[in-house]
Amino acid sequence: MFPKVEESELIKNEFSRLKGICYLDHTGSALYADSQINNVMKDLKTHLYGNPHSTGDPSAACEKLINNIRFKILEHFNTRPEKYTVIFTSGATGALKTVAECFEWDEDDDDTEPKNAISENDAIYRSRGGTFAYTQDNHTSVLGMRELMPTENLLCLTRDEAHEALDNMPSADSFRSTSSRNSLFAYPAQSNFSGTKYPLKWIETCRNGALDLYTGNRVKSRWYTVLDASAYVPCNHLDLGKYKPDFIAVSFYKMFGYPTGLGALLVRNKTGVAVLRRKKYFGGGTVEVVLARNRHHVFKKKFHEKFEDGTVDFLSVVAVGHGLDTLRALAGPMRAVACRTFGLAAYLYDQMSGARHGNGSPVFRMYADTEYRCESTQGGVVNFNVLRANGQYVGYNEVKNLANNYGIVLRVGCFCNPGACQAHLGHTDQELRRNQEVIGHVCGDHIDLIDNRPTGSVRVSFGYSSSESDADTLYNTLVEQFWQNNSMAPIDRPQISIEEYNKMDLRVSRIFVYPIKSCGAYETDEWELEPYGFKYDRSWAVVSSSGVCMTQMEEPKLCLVKPYFDLKSGTMTLVYAENKDEVPMVVSLETKQTDAKKKEGKICWGGSLEGIDCGDEVAEWLSWNLDRPGLRLIRCTVRHTAPKQYGRIDSKVMGNNACQYLLFTQPTIKWLQQEMENDITEIDEDNLLFRFRGNLLISGNDLPAHAELSWGELDIGGIKLKYDSPCERCKMVNIDQDTSESIYKPLSILGQNKFENKNVFGIYLNREDTQKCKMRVGQQCMVIKKNI
């Protein structure tokens, strides 16, 4: 149905750095091409560009080039300097903020119209200041504009309301009179959430008072339109010769990847210039004269100079010129790009919409405003969530983690578009406020499901360098990993009595200590217990040059650092990747504060660790082996916890995630191994065991899988341990602890067999007694209380 889009050799060569990565976040940022960067660097190495506010030939040459690039930008959008002015900003957000700060709402403060010409309904919209109207489907940068608006008249339109209000042109006799109040309407040319394209004809219908008519206001305002084009222009032709918004906001990295941190506000000279009059702040080259001792200044006469506070990022502006050249050379006509990217999105949407589990239930929940049948109404974006065969949602972070493991770049969350996200996911305002105030869910955090309802979604987007193979890679990967033949029942606690458990001869079969957080395990037959857990367990941490405690999430190769204890000599020997040719590193077990400086490391899951730096020698050894400069090893002495971060954290633990001990059973390991083998993935039992990084492994006669979830309190050789919580798992369990490579299956299987809607494996245990004692392999484990 849709023309096949192949990847050309030219495109392949221009983006060779991808090296097999499937890039599907073009709405987040376009990719810069190799030739583009080469041309920028060649230009900068060949020419001398000075500050355009300075004097001399380099500055004059730079100013001339900047003006030429302003012209080239306007030419790209089919307009001229007589029609529009280009103001360089920090990005589309900066452009929108400029409009919000400077828009003039009142032409004058006098109300000269007869009072009897205004109805009560009209009076609502006749208070000081005009109306700020905007669509619900908008970037947060637009929502932020309303906080700078002096008007109290706010009008937020759903998608259907906007179409009802703006699809038809008002007649000339629709209004009694015209007000001197200025009003502003903000909307996106293309939704960054769903990719739907909003009609550009709305610019003219709005200008003619359609929104006044929609609200029942018979006194027509002077309406202006600000068009957020940042998601539209990377793959579409914005023809300013045909459509004439008063203000347009764009970001250049969205169009061609580089430079970042630079965008533009395009202002229509005929209409927009006259109403951007409320500018207060000035700096740099924006004024012709200013007095230091008296409050007097005069802005520059050239319109763009009035708004570009400070020195414009002139070297980035130089790069914009090369970006436009590259876009023209590689992408071709923008109308053709729009057709290609739409075709890819429609192809993927059709595949995903028809995908079914073995029991006939859908694999994907699609979020769309169109049926992907027309390029004029739909862009190259596909938005969705993944469903299990029982209809439950897969958390978008689980999808993101899988995509990362398979080299697929996509985006998850709400994409800075809370209005569209809310509309498509069906949340009420009250629910969203409760999620933040009670549960603590905020933008960008790890919480992707609340009461089995998604808090966001997955978005993939295509660009001019995309091909059909990108769509196939995503679809095939997701179906392969999440397709289920039948609905799987969630894991539940086994219904076994305490007496039955204690007849199973439960015993400690293996003991593990992890002296350095996220590094290798040390297995022992007997070990001492301290108040914080097993002695030396997670008592050291590797800290990055920026002061963050490293884990395998950031550096998988940490698992290759293997520890060996010599308690008699009081040392710990570190070996990297069991390399016998590599010189091992010996670390003292009793680093004292007098030996080194105090150091603090931030913990990614909340709080910080304070400890003693173990010196330069081990720091250099770690940095060399892990190929990460600036690493330090600290011996933890104090754990500072942060409130409301990932639930309760035991104050007695050091580098552990939550509690002193982590326990699971051998039958649970066997169950997971069997599940993986059923999925044609052979894996050694020990290989699985070490992925889950537990302290205690319990075995027994006829012990069922997941039995540990029902244990409330245990007695192991007289040592009493209390259940705290199940251990929720992340993508670290995918990392092979012998090679540091990842396979997704362990987390995928846990995701298909959830416990209380979580990916759970093992349980956390606490010990309240602070007396020192020892635990041994072979000790009997008695269940004292059940966890109900």
Side-chain angles (χ1 to χ4, degrees), residues 695-708:
N695 297 113
L696 294 167
L697 183 68
I698 303 295
S699 58
N701 299 328
D702 301 320
L703 182 64
H706 314 297
E708 60 269 36

Side-chain angles (χ1 to χ4, degrees), residues 437-648:
E437 294 170 359
V438 179
I439 299 174
H441 170 55
V442 296
C443 293
D445 68 12
H446 72 295
I447 302 173
D448 51 15
L449 293 173
I450 296 176
D451 298 330
N452 198 41
R453 294 179 66 192
T455 60
S457 60
V458 183
R459 184 191 73 190
V460 297
S461 49
F462 298 95
Y464 75 83
S465 60
S466 301
S467 67
E468 192 170 298
S469 65
D470 295 324
D472 288 336
T473 295
L474 175 78
Y475 177 78
N476 292 336
T477 300
L478 294 180
V479 170
E480 178 186 344
Q481 297 299 325
F482 290 113
W483 183 88
Q484 295 173 283
N485 190 31
N486 291 298
S487 176
M488 294 186 180
I491 292 171
D492 202 358
R493 295 184 175 95
Q495 299 303 309
I496 299 176
S497 67
I498 293 175
E499 292 74 18
E500 289 177 289
Y501 273 131
N502 290 332
K503 291 177 182 178
M504 294 178 181
D505 192 24
L506 306 181
R507 294 189 180 272
V508 177
S509 57
R510 299 177 80 169
I511 296 175
F512 300 97
V513 179
Y514 303 84
I516 305 177
K517 179 163 185 62
S518 246
C519 291
Y522 176 74
E523 186 169 5
T524 179
D525 291 333
E526 181 181 71
W527 206 252
E528 189 173 336
L529 278 64
E530 295 276 0
Y532 59 81
F534 278 124
K535 189 171 185 176
Y536 303 127
D537 191 43
R538 278 87 169 186
S539 291
W540 287 264
V542 178
V543 177
S544 71
S545 57
S546 59
V548 175
C549 289
M550 300 287 290
T551 72
Q552 290 180 36
M553 296 280 278
E554 296 81 36
E555 179 49 79
K557 291 187 291 185
L558 280 169
C559 68
L560 302 179
V561 178
K562 309 288 186 182
Y564 296 91
F565 283 103
D566 186 339
L567 297 180
K568 289 184 179 179
S569 64
T571 59
M572 174 176 62
T573 300
L574 305 180
V575 176
Y576 183 73
E578 298 295 350
N579 187 350
K580 295 180 181 178
D581 297 328
E582 177 69 42
V583 177
M585 175 54 55
V586 179
V587 179
S588 172
L589 296 178
E590 302 301 331
T591 304
K592 297 179 181 178
Q593 189 167 330
T594 54
D595 299 334
K597 296 179 180 179
K598 277 189 176 182
K599 194 170 183 71
E600 187 172 292
K602 298 173 185 175
I603 308 174
C604 63
W605 63 93
S608 63
L609 290 172
E610 187 178 302
I612 308 301
D613 193 301
C614 294
D616 294 338
E617 190 177 2
V618 65
E620 291 172 5
W621 185 88
L622 287 167
S623 298
W624 170 263
N625 281 292
L626 297 174
D627 194 24
R628 278 182 174 258
L631 298 181
R632 308 295 299 185
L633 182 69
I634 66 168
R635 173 69 187 273
C636 309
T637 56
V638 179
R639 167 80 171 266
H640 303 288
T641 59
K644 295 186 179 179
Q645 288 279 342
Y646 295 75
R648 185 174 65 256

Side-chain angles (χ1 to χ4, degrees), residues 49 56 156 285 363 415 539 582 764:
Y49 296 117
C156 179
V363 180
F415 325 109
S539 291
E582 177 69 42
Y764 285 122

Side-chain angles (χ1 to χ4, degrees), residues 195-496:
T196 187
K197 295 178 184 177
Y198 289 99
L200 295 179
K201 71 174 185 178
W202 284 359
I203 298 163
E204 194 61 28
T205 57
C206 176
R207 185 172 287 133
N208 282 276
L211 290 176
D212 282 322
L213 195 63
Y214 175 74
T215 58
N217 180 22
R218 299 296 297 277
V219 179
K220 182 175 175 292
S221 296
R222 301 177 189 270
W223 279 96
Y224 298 83
T225 300
V226 53
L227 186 71
D228 181 2
S230 52
Y232 182 82
V233 295
C235 295
N236 296 274
H237 176 54
L238 179 59
D239 187 350
L240 295 183
K242 182 177 180 181
Y243 302 102
K244 298 177 175 60
D246 305 288
F247 312 103
I248 305 104
V250 297
S251 286
F252 294 116
Y253 78 94
K254 301 272 190 182
M255 297 173 66
F256 33 75
Y258 182 84
T260 58
L262 186 70
L265 173 65
L266 278 61
V267 182
R268 190 182 182 212
N269 296 336
K270 184 178 179 180
T271 54
V273 167
V275 290
L276 282 193
R277 299 188 300 191
R278 291 177 56 242
K279 189 174 193 301
K280 301 296 182 184
Y281 178 81
F282 59 88
T286 55
V287 290
E288 292 190 341
V289 62
V290 59
L291 300 181
R293 297 179 64 184
N294 291 289
R295 196 169 180 177
H296 174 77
H297 69 276
V298 177
F299 279 113
K300 286 282 185 72
K301 294 293 187 294
K302 286 185 178 179
F303 189 68
H304 69 262
E305 291 181 342
K306 176 180 176 180
F307 291 90
E308 291 173 351
D309 294 305
T311 301
V312 69
D313 189 352
F314 54 92
L315 295 183
S316 290
V317 174
V318 172
V320 168
H322 293 289
L324 289 168
D325 292 340
T326 302
L327 190 62
R328 187 181 304 110
L330 295 182
M334 295 309 295
R335 291 182 179 88
V337 175
C339 183
R340 291 201 304 272
T341 52
F342 163 72
L344 289 171
Y347 169 72
L348 179 61
Y349 177 83
D350 278 7
Q351 282 190 302
M352 297 179 78
S353 297
R356 294 292 183 270
H357 288 289
N359 63 357
S361 63
V363 180
F364 302 102
R365 168 73 165 88
M366 310 302 295
Y367 303 112
D369 297 310
T370 76
E371 295 182 350
Y372 287 76
R373 293 295 175 262
C374 182
E375 176 268 322
S376 65
T377 59
Q378 179 63 49
V381 176
V382 179
N383 200 307
F384 63 93
N385 269 313
V386 180
L387 298 169
R388 304 197 192 280
N390 62 3
Q392 290 188 333
Y393 286 93
V394 176
Y396 57 73
N397 281 323
E398 188 176 336
V399 179
K400 176 195 70 176
N401 293 337
L402 178 140
N404 286 342
N405 288 333
Y406 281 88
I408 300 171
V409 179
L410 44 71
R411 187 164 173 182
V412 301
C414 279
F415 325 109
C416 298
N417 191 332
C421 188
Q422 178 182 5
H424 281 282
L425 299 183
H427 292 296
T428 65
D429 286 355
Q430 291 76 17
E431 287 171 334
L432 294 177
R433 294 190 66 167
R434 178 186 66 88
N435 290 348
Q436 187 268 322
E437 294 170 359
V438 179
I439 299 174
H441 170 55
V442 296
C443 293
D445 68 12
H446 72 295
I447 302 173
D448 51 15
L449 293 173
I450 296 176
D451 298 330
N452 198 41
R453 294 179 66 192
T455 60
S457 60
V458 183
R459 184 191 73 190
V460 297
S461 49
F462 298 95
Y464 75 83
S465 60
S466 301
S467 67
E468 192 170 298
S469 65
D470 295 324
D472 288 336
T473 295
L474 175 78
Y475 177 78
N476 292 336
T477 300
L478 294 180
V479 170
E480 178 186 344
Q481 297 299 325
F482 290 113
W483 183 88
Q484 295 173 283
N485 190 31
N486 291 298
S487 176
M488 294 186 180
I491 292 171
D492 202 358
R493 295 184 175 95
Q495 299 303 309
I496 299 176

Side-chain angles (χ1 to χ4, degrees), residues 33-289:
D34 289 355
S35 61
Q36 174 188 351
I37 300 302
N38 291 338
N39 290 336
V40 172
M41 294 301 109
K42 182 180 178 182
D43 191 345
L44 297 183
K45 287 192 291 184
T46 305
H47 300 96
L48 178 61
Y49 296 117
N51 186 329
H53 291 168
S54 297
T55 57
D57 291 343
S59 298
C62 184
E63 184 175 13
K64 182 179 179 181
L65 180 58
I66 289 173
N67 289 331
N68 287 341
I69 291 170
R70 291 185 204 272
F71 179 83
K72 186 180 283 191
I73 292 167
L74 295 175
E75 188 179 45
H76 180 79
F77 296 122
N78 191 32
T79 189
R80 305 185 308 278
E82 303 86 61
K83 302 291 185 180
Y84 278 88
T85 296
V86 175
I87 299 171
F88 288 114
T89 64
S90 60
T93 296
L96 295 166
K97 185 168 180 277
T98 297
V99 175
E101 289 175 332
C102 302
F103 186 77
E104 186 77 23
W105 292 93
D106 298 283
E107 196 167 277
D108 57 66
D109 293 331
D110 297 325
D111 191 352
T112 57
E113 295 177 23
K115 297 296 180 184
N116 59 8
I118 305 171
S119 69
E120 290 184 9
N121 195 32
D122 294 338
I124 298 173
Y125 291 92
R126 290 300 318 281
S127 60
R128 179 175 176 81
T131 299
F132 177 53
Y134 57 97
T135 54
Q136 181 179 356
D137 183 355
N138 251 316
H139 196 276
T140 52
S141 301
V142 171
L143 303 185
M145 293 176 70
R146 68 190 180 197
E147 304 306 316
L148 293 175
M149 299 299 180
T151 178
E152 295 180 357
N153 300 329
L154 299 176
L155 177 63
C156 179
L157 299 166
T158 66
R159 181 176 178 274
D160 291 341
E161 288 170 343
H163 277 285
E164 180 185 349
L166 292 154
D167 279 353
N168 299 309
M169 185 72 71
S171 61
D173 59 354
S174 299
F175 304 98
R176 293 196 185 102
S177 58
T178 299
S179 168
S180 62
R181 313 301 189 196
N182 297 326
S183 293
L184 184 64
F185 174 49
Y187 79 103
Q190 178 175 305
S191 169
N192 76 324
F193 184 92
S194 65
T196 187
K197 295 178 184 177
Y198 289 99
L200 295 179
K201 71 174 185 178
W202 284 359
I203 298 163
E204 194 61 28
T205 57
C206 176
R207 185 172 287 133
N208 282 276
L211 290 176
D212 282 322
L213 195 63
Y214 175 74
T215 58
N217 180 22
R218 299 296 297 277
V219 179
K220 182 175 175 292
S221 296
R222 301 177 189 270
W223 279 96
Y224 298 83
T225 300
V226 53
L227 186 71
D228 181 2
S230 52
Y232 182 82
V233 295
C235 295
N236 296 274
H237 176 54
L238 179 59
D239 187 350
L240 295 183
K242 182 177 180 181
Y243 302 102
K244 298 177 175 60
D246 305 288
F247 312 103
I248 305 104
V250 297
S251 286
F252 294 116
Y253 78 94
K254 301 272 190 182
M255 297 173 66
F256 33 75
Y258 182 84
T260 58
L262 186 70
L265 173 65
L266 278 61
V267 182
R268 190 182 182 212
N269 296 336
K270 184 178 179 180
T271 54
V273 167
V275 290
L276 282 193
R277 299 188 300 191
R278 291 177 56 242
K279 189 174 193 301
K280 301 296 182 184
Y281 178 81
F282 59 88
T286 55
V287 290
E288 292 190 341
V289 62

